[in-house]
């Protein structure tokens, strides 16, 4: 199977009405974060149904899919990489991880990052040096910064908060709303597992956190505590 055949097959389940909606939803207009992105109109559940069918597609062909101008084809390539990573031995995981980091220019919207970064980057770095995350979080590229913080979700789910909290600190002064949301989300996930750890971080930083980041972070706290953080009354 070749990448061009995969694209032709996926195009048979495309829907123009869904594509039109997706282009609005993912902010593809001039000056927006997804400017110029193209959509076929395939919903995520439909893409996921196709993953098993193409699970053995060679990495070189997946790399070609990642370079597609169509959003759903890039997403499909990432779903294939996640599947490949989960099934691979140690050497195979390294190959997937390297391809992923070589392809960050193609991982250029929040859903593409969120469906893959914690599985591949987080999973690969779980028992390795994590310094690459600090290179990514310092990047000028919005999506590389989001890859860094979303990758930490893998660690958070295993009650390992150290790097996630450090990355959150790096992003406190970030200018982009999509980073504020992602960072607040990771803080909320920490709080779901260890509320004292989250609150210790919040108590130190909440007065200087972007408002969106704070709102996401405190979403699961009791209402009285949420209001206290929002009003700066702690």
């Amino acid at each position: 199977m070749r990448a061009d055949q995969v694209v032709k097959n996926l195009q048979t389940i495309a829907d123009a009405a869904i594509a039109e909606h997706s282009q609005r939803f993912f902010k593809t207009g001039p000056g927006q974060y997804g400017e110029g992105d193209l959509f076929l109109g395939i919903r995520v559940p439909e893409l996921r149904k196709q993953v098993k069918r193409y699970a053995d597609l060679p990495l070189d062909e997946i790399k070609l899919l990642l370079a597609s101008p169509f959003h759903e084809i890039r997403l499909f390539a990432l779903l294939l990489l996640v599947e490949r990573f989960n099934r691979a031995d140690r050497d195979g995981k390294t190959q997937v991880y390297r391809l992923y980091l070589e392809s960050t220019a193609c991982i250029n919207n929040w859903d593409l990052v969120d469906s893959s970064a914690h599985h591949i980057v987080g999973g690969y770095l779980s028992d390795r040096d994590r310094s690459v995350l600090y290179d990514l979080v310092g990047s000028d590229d919005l999506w590389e910064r989001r890859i860094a913080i979303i990758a930490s979700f893998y660690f958070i789910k295993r009650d390992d908060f150290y790097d996630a909290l450090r990355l959150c600190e790096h992003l406190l002064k970030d200018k982009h709303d999509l980073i504020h949301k992602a960072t607040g989300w990771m803080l909320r996930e920490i709080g779901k597992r260890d509320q004292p750890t989250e609150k210790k971080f919040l108590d130190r930083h909440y007065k200087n956190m972007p408002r969106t980041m704070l709102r996401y972070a405190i979403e699961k706290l009791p209402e009285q505590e949420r209001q206290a953080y929002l009003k700066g009354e702690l």
Side-chain angles (χ1 to χ4, degrees):
M1 182 67 70
R2 291 161 47 99
D4 57 351
Q5 294 173 289
V6 175
V7 173
K8 287 179 182 178
N9 291 341
L10 290 177
Q11 285 174 329
T12 65
I13 58 173
D15 184 307
I18 294 173
E20 183 179 354
H21 173 268
S22 295
Q23 288 194 234
R24 294 193 303 271
F25 182 75
F26 287 102
K27 309 296 184 185
T28 63
Q32 296 182 309
Y33 61 74
E35 181 176 357
D37 206 354
L38 301 175
F39 288 80
L40 291 170
I42 308 173
R43 298 198 186 279
V44 176
E46 290 300 320
L47 288 175
R48 291 191 181 278
K49 288 180 183 178
Q50 302 295 321
V51 168
K52 296 293 184 183
R53 180 179 179 185
Y54 300 109
D56 295 321
L57 193 70
L59 283 181
D60 286 347
E61 298 298 316
I62 297 177
K63 185 175 182 179
L64 293 176
L65 295 178
L66 267 176
S68 172
F70 291 103
H71 186 103
E72 294 98 333
I73 301 300
R74 299 197 306 280
L75 176 57
F76 186 65
L78 292 166
L79 295 176
L80 287 175
L81 286 179
V82 170
E83 174 71 13
R84 180 69 58 84
F85 184 88
N86 289 337
R87 293 190 295 120
D89 59 17
R90 193 169 179 86
D91 289 342
K93 290 182 188 298
T94 297
Q95 291 177 25
V96 172
Y97 168 79
R98 287 176 177 170
L99 174 57
Y100 190 92
L101 288 190
E102 290 168 2
S103 307
T104 56
C106 305
I107 308 169
N108 57 352
N109 214 310
W110 58 265
D111 63 319
L112 305 181
V113 173
D114 296 0
S115 64
S116 59
H118 61 294
H119 294 292
I120 296 173
V121 180
Y124 185 78
L125 298 176
S126 62
D127 60 350
R128 294 176 171 88
D129 177 79
R130 300 175 184 177
S131 58
V132 66
L133 295 178
Y134 299 91
D135 295 332
L136 290 169
V137 85
S139 172
D140 291 334
D141 183 81
L142 162 65
W143 306 115
E144 290 191 345
R145 300 198 305 277
R146 187 160 176 126
I147 286 170
I149 189 61
I150 296 299
S152 74
F153 193 21
Y154 186 93
F155 316 141
I156 291 169
K157 289 190 288 186
R158 288 153 181 81
D159 296 328
D160 176 0
F161 309 132
Y162 177 77
D163 287 289
L165 291 169
R166 288 187 65 198
L167 292 167
C168 287
E169 285 185 332
H170 278 274
L171 294 171
L172 285 170
K173 295 182 180 180
D174 200 280
K175 302 299 183 183
H176 206 289
D177 187 62
L178 286 174
I179 298 299
H180 302 167
K181 291 177 179 178
T183 305
W185 172 20
M186 293 304 103
L187 289 168
R188 184 178 73 231
E189 291 297 331
I190 291 171
K192 285 163 64 174
R193 294 159 175 83
D194 187 340
Q195 198 170 98
T197 293
E198 182 197 17
K199 289 170 68 174
K200 182 178 179 180
F201 183 94
L202 291 174
D203 290 348
R204 188 162 64 249
H205 297 295
Y206 80 97
K207 290 184 178 179
N208 300 313
M209 291 173 68
R211 201 69 169 173
T212 298
M213 187 186 298
L214 178 60
R215 287 187 178 277
Y216 271 62
I218 63 177
E219 203 170 67
K220 298 297 182 179
L221 296 182
E223 179 64 18
Q224 186 174 354
E225 291 184 21
R226 289 181 64 254
Q227 290 303 319
Y229 278 117
L230 290 171
K231 295 175 182 177
E233 295 176 347
L234 291 174

